[in-house]
Structures are given as C-alpha cells and as structure tokens.
Amino acid sequence: MAYSKKVMDHYENPRNVGSFSNSDINVGSGLVGAPACGDVMKLQIKVNSKGIIEDACFKTYGCGSAIASSSLATEWIKGKSIKEAESIKNTSIVEELDLPPVKIHCSILAEDAIKAAITDYKNKRNKG
Amino acid sequence: MKIPIYLDYAATTPVDFQVAKKMMNYLTIDGMFGNAASRSHKFGWEAEEIVDIARNQISDLIGADSREIIFTSGATESNNLAIKGIALFHKKKGNHIITSKTEHKSVLDTCRYLENEGFSITYLTPKNNGIIDLNDLKKHIKKSTILVSIMHVNNETGIIQDINSISEICKSRDIFFHVDATQSVGKIEINVKNSFVDLMSFSAHKLYGPKGIGGLYVRRKPRVRLLASLHGGGHERGMRAGTLPVHQIVGMGESFELAKKKIKDDFIHLNNLRNELWNGIKNIEEVYLNSDLKQGAPHILNVSFNYVEGESLIMSLKDLAISSGSACTSSSLEPSYVLRALGIKDELAHSSIRFSIGRYTTKEEIHHTIKLVHKSIYKLRELSPLWEMFKSGVDLNSIEWDHS
C-alpha cells in the first residue's frame, strides 16, 4: 500500500515510544483495540498540577497507519490541556497523515486511545 | 546483491533468460509468428510444429501424453475449466463436489459459483498440520459426489497433500480427481499417470516461464469429458477455444524442459536455503513455523512472529520483497483464511510472513534476510504493547479486548 510521506516518517521514526509507570497518580493509560483485529494501542499521558499534559507516550501493535496515528496523537496532546486533548478528532489525524480509506479505523483507534487515557487519569484522580 | 531481495517466488518468478530469448523468435516478421491453426501455409505449419514440441516438453515433466495438455491463460482458468467443466458435464450423475478450506481462491470462488448454480460443496478442514484427513474425506463422499478437487502444494504454507492416497480413494469410487498443482509442478516430482490424476492445473509463470499461459491436464484413457467454458474454433480438442499464443507456449515449453533438467538440483538448492533461513530465525523468541520442513515444498517458508503485526513487519522489511499470509494490505483486514483453517489463532495469522525462494536466490541474500528479520522484529517488539505485556507476565487472554 502506498502510504504518505508523513505516515512513513512516523513509522520509521516513531515519536514518544515508551511507557510510564501506571502506579503514578499523574499518569493515565489507555489500551484500545484487540490482538485478533490486528491493532492494539497503548497511549499514556502524564498530567501536571495545572491540568496540562506535560508528557505522552505510546506503544502500538498494528499496521504502519496505526503506528503513525498513535505517534502523531502523542505529539499533538503534549502541552495541551485535558480539555483540548479530548476534543481531538480522528478526522484531523486522517487529514494530517493522508490515510487511505481502509485505514481510517487506525485514526479512530488513536482518538479512542487518547479518550481512554484521559478517562483513566480522571478515574484515578477521583479515587485518589 | 540487489535490493530489494526478491523472496516472493510463490507469487511469480522471473522468466529465465534462455526462455525469453527463445520466445522472441516467435513474435516478429523475422520470426515464426504464424497462427498454429492455419493449415494452408508454412507459417501455420511452423507454428503448429513448435506448439507440438512445447506440448511434449510440458507433458514430459508431468508424465502425461502430449495430447492430454490443454493450454489456458493460467492456473486460474485451468481450475475454472476443470471444476465447472466437470460439474456441468456430469451434473446428471450428481451435484456434489468435495474440496478443502485451504484451496486457492480460484478453486474456492469457482465452487461458490457452483453452489449458486445448485451444486452442493463440502469444504474439508485439514488437520492442524495442514494435511487432509483421508478418513474425513471418505466420510464425506456421497453417491452424488462427482468431483474431488485438492491442491498438491499449498501456496501459503507449502504443505504437500497426499495426492496418491486421495486419488486411490477417488478411483475406487469412480469420482473425478482434480489437482491444482500450480505450486508443485517442477518443484517436486508429480506424475499424473502414477498418481491416477484425472485433471491437473498448472501455470508457466511459477516456473520461470511467461505470465498469461498455463495448462490443464485432462486424462484421455479412460477419457475425461468436460464442458468447455470458451466456445469458438474448436481449438484444444474442443475444450478451450482461442488462437494459441505461440510465443507464450514456446516459453512455457522451454521453461518446463529446463525445470525437468534442473528439478533435482533446484530441490537441493531450495531446500538448503529454506532450512538455512529457518535456522537463522528460529531462535527468535515466540516464532512459529506454519510450514513443514520435512513434509513441505522446498520453496515456501511461512512463519508467524507473535506480538508483531504482519503489515508493519513487511513495511519494516522494505529491503525484502515478501508477502504476508494476512490480507491486511488489501481492502480486507481479515487474516489469512488458510492459516485460520489450520486452527492458527487470529493474532498469529495476522503476524505471518511467507518467504518464498527460487532458483536465483543466493546464500548471501538469505544471510542478509536473516539479519534484517532480527533487526525488524527487535524494533517492532520494542514498539509493541503486547510484547511488553507478554514480557511482564500478563496473560493476554485474561484481558477484555475492545472489539469495536
């Protein structure tokens, strides 16, 4: 499949690969997708006292578009407030990466991963 | 060493230089470009003669009589002609056909078509090792069974079926037996007479010949009758009309003759390189072999790398021309139906790679491939959340995955 230059760049040089400790109260983790479907994304955020996502990281099992979508997602949410991050739409990811129609699913997963990480962070704070 | 390294010989092979050179003599005004059906002049006679020679070269490789070879556009057409041809000609005798779930799409889709036409099809599930269970086959034979169609070598895994035993079963019950031998002809010995095969499909471009030409073996004694799917000038004993593509037939004949000369050397070469490739990657953690080194064809190695997804692996191995068992790169996101039919779970089917090697593959290329595979697997697993979970002892089956 012919991917755009941006997908190839993120695929070859993925940004923010890694993991944060889940026990950190400032960390929110999202795990979306399923191995049987061929895509699993883990996206984590580290939120500071002002509610700003000061760091983000990901690990993705999936095709090139899935890796690129999650890599781009971590770049976009870094430095944003939770509210701003929550409003990121998959269509912007599709547009930025010029994803082919069969790969739109990957951008939806990335949006879901951001939302799941934020929900996890909020749940943790509420409990804490 | 040329990059990318071509390791997709099961998809197609390059035309051998000797073959291409010979083909050129049958195209232009300076060559023998005649129509083999022209009976009134020298051009036609020359073309007819060279077609006869090619027919002999082809039948020699598979142990047939040259009059039993019908030229087609390739194995897909051969499979269509054989299955539809038998079904439609013998439908008064019965409407039941047996095949397997791991056949090529040109067999499966033809069978689906026949289902719509009122035929009943049994799709056998092979055993976990990929081999058709002969008892299972016997169990499914009915009075109305007219045809069994089973491939010789599987195109994804290289698993070889026991053609001789299947043909015995069919023969004793007076059922036609069709073999799709696209991946086996010229790679492993097959003799249609010794194996009692009624019909056999094959193709030139899998064997260093040109694309667009293939053949169907149709037994003469006892005579196998089938309904033609192309009607016209009664070419090919009335079974497949159309002007013979003489240059392609010449190329196919030459490539089959070459294959006959080289079959033993090719086998050793392919077998050694395939084993070397497997030995070079088998120590990678969580790697699974979907082929069989002893009972499989020598040119196909199908491997699953757990916790790495097939398409991204292929992307990462961009210096290798390989294909995935998974259809991820097409519009379908389903993993390989062949691997799933063998009971391989979806995750591993998604992570499969087919390396297929050929006459021109070198040791150096295999060594480089091994290095690249190690590098890519390491890189993608560092990126894989599943690998991280596996390494930290999380049971992936215990997680409730979101299947949306």
Side-chain angles (χ1 to χ4, degrees):
Chain A
M1 182 174 292
Y3 279 131
S4 68
K5 275 187 186 158
K6 278 184 184 164
V7 170
M8 289 310 290
D9 181 39
H10 275 280
Y11 172 75
E12 285 181 7
N13 312 292
R15 302 5 168 207
N16 310 309
V17 176
S19 298
F20 300 142
S21 165
N22 221 357
S23 56
D24 185 341
I25 184 118
N26 298 317
V27 166
S29 302
L31 183 68
V32 295
C37 303
D39 292 295
V40 176
M41 272 180 204
K42 187 190 79 168
L43 191 141
Q44 292 180 300
I45 51 172
K46 200 177 264 179
V47 185
N48 68 17
S49 53
K50 290 175 190 144
I52 302 292
I53 299 171
E54 58 174 33
D55 206 355
C57 65
F58 83 99
K59 283 201 174 189
T60 292
Y61 161 88
C63 64
S65 300
I67 290 169
S69 298
S70 40
S71 169
L72 178 70
T74 57
E75 273 204 318
W76 275 1
I77 58 178
K78 269 189 355 183
K80 284 203 166 69
S81 70
I82 284 184
K83 211 166 182 184
E84 285 168 330
E86 259 175 339
S87 67
I88 290 173
K89 287 272 167 291
N90 82 293
T91 45
S92 325
I93 296 172
V94 173
E95 211 173 297
E96 173 69 16
L97 294 175
D98 196 12
L99 291 182
V102 293
K103 298 296 183 182
I104 287 173
H105 172 72
C106 301
S107 68
I108 297 172
L109 267 186
E111 185 189 318
D112 289 350
I114 298 172
K115 294 208 162 98
I118 292 171
T119 307
D120 181 58
Y121 168 76
K122 284 181 179 166
N123 286 346
K124 256 182 175 173
R125 299 301 287 191
N126 289 342
K127 271 184 211 157
Chain B
M1 194 167 53
K2 264 197 224 163
I3 299 286
I5 297 169
Y6 190 74
L7 293 174
D8 208 8
Y9 280 83
T12 195
T13 58
V15 175
D16 187 281
F17 276 114
Q18 185 183 320
V19 171
K21 223 170 133 189
K22 186 138 187 224
M23 287 174 70
M24 280 164 59
N25 300 328
Y26 297 87
L27 287 162
T28 60
I29 185 76
D30 300 326
M32 288 167 269
F33 63 88
N35 185 331
S38 298
R39 290 282 162 84
S40 55
H41 50 68
K42 194 168 177 279
F43 297 87
W45 304 329
E46 278 174 349
E48 191 187 10
E49 194 186 339
I50 196 69
V51 166
D52 278 346
I53 293 171
R55 228 186 269 278
N56 276 307
Q57 290 170 314
I58 293 158
S59 53
D60 269 358
L61 178 62
I62 59 170
D65 181 300
S66 66
R67 289 168 294 181
E68 296 173 313
I69 307 295
I70 308 298
F71 288 113
T72 64
S73 61
T76 290
E77 189 191 322
S78 300
N79 287 340
N80 271 262
L81 176 59
I83 298 168
K84 281 186 221 161
I86 290 288
L88 299 174
F89 196 94
H90 300 274
K91 66 180 171 193
K92 278 190 185 143
K93 210 178 127 199
N95 74 336
H96 180 235
I97 295 170
I98 301 177
T99 186
S100 90
K101 286 183 182 165
T102 52
E103 296 299 307
H104 189 262
K105 283 279 181 195
S106 58
V107 166
L108 295 177
D109 286 354
T110 302
C111 287
R112 292 269 182 239
Y113 165 80
L114 286 173
E115 275 186 272
N116 292 334
E117 297 293 304
F119 287 86
S120 143
I121 318 278
T122 298
Y123 301 91
L124 300 174
T125 305
K127 294 185 278 189
N128 285 348
N129 61 5
I131 311 281
I132 300 290
D133 184 337
L134 299 178
N135 288 325
D136 191 36
L137 169 64
K138 282 183 206 159
K139 255 195 328 210
H140 282 94
I141 290 175
K142 304 188 233 183
K143 268 201 173 146
S144 58
T145 308
I146 50 171
L147 174 71
V148 170
S149 177
I150 297 291
M151 73 199 326
H152 191 197
V153 164
N154 186 274
N155 54 311
E156 284 192 29
T157 60
I159 298 293
I160 302 172
Q161 296 299 342
D162 182 357
I163 293 304
N164 291 357
S165 299
I166 297 174
S167 75
E168 285 291 331
I169 294 169
C170 293
K171 202 178 149 209
S172 67
R173 289 163 173 80
D174 210 16
I175 297 166
F176 290 114
F177 181 36
H178 166 246
V179 175
D180 172 3
T182 312
Q183 291 291 348
S184 70
V185 165
K187 307 276 182 1
I188 56 175
E189 298 281 353
I190 178 153
N191 182 302
V192 286
K193 290 284 179 296
N194 296 347
S195 299
F196 301 113
V197 169
D198 294 304
L199 304 120
M200 190 170 91
S201 306
F202 44 87
S203 166
H205 77 101
K206 308 285 189 189
L207 205 54
Y208 314 96
K211 291 168 189 64
I213 182 82
L216 178 66
Y217 158 80
V218 184
R219 180 186 286 280
R220 281 184 83 231
K221 283 181 190 168
R223 189 174 170 200
V224 174
R225 304 189 68 183
L226 48 84
L227 202 73
S229 40
L230 290 182
H231 306 279
H235 311 74
E236 300 298 277
R237 290 160 54 215
M239 283 188 251
R240 203 275 190 183
T243 300
L244 292 178
V246 176
H247 64 296
Q248 284 170 294
I249 290 172
V250 165
M252 183 168 174
E254 193 72 8
S255 67
F256 274 48
E257 186 179 319
L258 211 59
K260 192 177 181 199
K261 280 185 199 148
K262 288 180 178 242
I263 190 165
K264 287 204 172 80
D265 289 343
D266 276 352
F267 185 92
I268 295 167
H269 175 70
L270 297 173
N271 205 53
N272 286 346
L273 289 184
R274 182 203 52 184
N275 291 353
E276 201 158 329
L277 176 55
W278 172 242
N279 286 332
I281 57 179
K282 70 178 180 191
N283 292 331
I284 295 175
E285 233 180 313
E286 286 291 309
V287 56
Y288 295 89
L289 181 64
N290 303 320
S291 299
D292 191 306
L293 297 185
K294 282 194 183 125
Q295 286 182 54
H299 62 302
I300 295 177
L301 187 77
N302 192 310
V303 179
S304 291
F305 299 94
N306 211 357
Y307 311 118
V308 167
E309 193 270 340
E311 193 205 303
S312 58
L313 180 55
I314 288 180
M315 266 174 88
S316 140
L317 293 167
K318 62 180 187 306
D319 285 355
L320 304 179
I322 43 176
S323 65
S324 160
S326 116
C328 244
T329 44
S330 73
S331 54
S332 154
L333 297 171
E334 290 287 302
S336 156
Y337 66 88
V338 171
L339 299 183
R340 284 167 83 184
L342 307 185
I344 291 168
K345 55 180 186 161
D346 284 1
E347 292 91 303
L348 281 178
H350 267 299
S351 313
S352 71
I353 296 280
R354 178 186 71 180
F355 301 93
S356 53
I357 55 180
R359 199 179 278 163
Y360 309 116
T361 309
T362 64
K363 240 179 167 63
E364 191 192 8
E365 287 175 332
I366 293 295
H367 290 164
H368 194 62
T369 298
I370 293 167
K371 260 189 239 160
L372 292 175
V373 169
H374 277 268
K375 216 171 114 186
S376 288
I377 296 293
Y378 177 80
K379 182 189 157 187
L380 288 171
R381 282 189 174 160
E382 284 300 295
L383 206 63
S384 166
L386 302 180
W387 179 248
E388 183 181 63
M389 289 156 107
F390 166 72
K391 289 306 266 184
S392 56
V394 176
D395 176 10
L396 292 175
N397 295 321
S398 70
I399 294 172
E400 267 186 47
W401 297 102
D402 161 27
H403 281 266
S404 62

